[in-house]
Amino acid sequence: MSEDVEVTIRLGGRTITTAYRRGATLLQTARSAGLRPPSSCETGSCATCMAQIVRGRAEMRNNDALTLDEVAEGWVLTCQAEPATPTVEVVYE
Ligand code: FES
């Protein structure tokens, strides 16, 4: 996706909208925006970083943790996910 992708992240009562930097994951995007999202393995196998896409779409580079049903409901591993639409909103529970 191009540079003008916008990512909105909700985490711990805060909502931040930020420009997406090409090549970054949603986890890295959240960190760059000053948030402290949960993470552990960062290889797509533990699901510590999971969050739900509530607007737009994201694609995962690797998914060794989520079921197909969870993916269908919009859950992503943010350490593996990149935006696939011009706007993406992601919610950490
Ligand atoms: S940090 Fe383990 S799957 Fe993302």
Side-chain angles (χ1 to χ4, degrees):
M1 300 293 300
S2 67
E3 304 288 328
D4 46 14
V5 172
E6 214 172 62
V7 179
T8 298
I9 302 151
R10 283 196 263 153
L11 171 64
R14 293 175 72 192
T15 301
I16 288 181
T17 298
T18 185
Y20 173 69
R21 207 182 67 249
R22 190 189 186 92
T25 62
L26 290 180
L27 181 70
Q28 290 165 336
T29 304
R31 284 183 185 145
S32 303
L35 295 170
R36 294 274 170 274
S39 68
S40 180
C41 73
E42 302 201 20
T43 61
S45 35
C46 74
T48 305
C49 66
M50 74 190 276
Q52 196 168 23
I53 303 292
V54 296
R55 188 158 45 101
R57 212 162 46 77
E59 273 166 19
M60 286 181 279
R61 299 169 183 167
N62 181 40
N63 170 24
D64 290 329
L66 299 178
T67 65
L68 289 179
D69 280 354
E70 287 170 324
V71 173
E73 288 169 5
W75 292 98
V76 291
L77 303 170
T78 57
C79 74
Q80 298 298 314
E82 295 183 17
T85 50
T87 56
V88 170
E89 184 167 350
V90 59
V91 179
Y92 285 92
E93 296 284 296

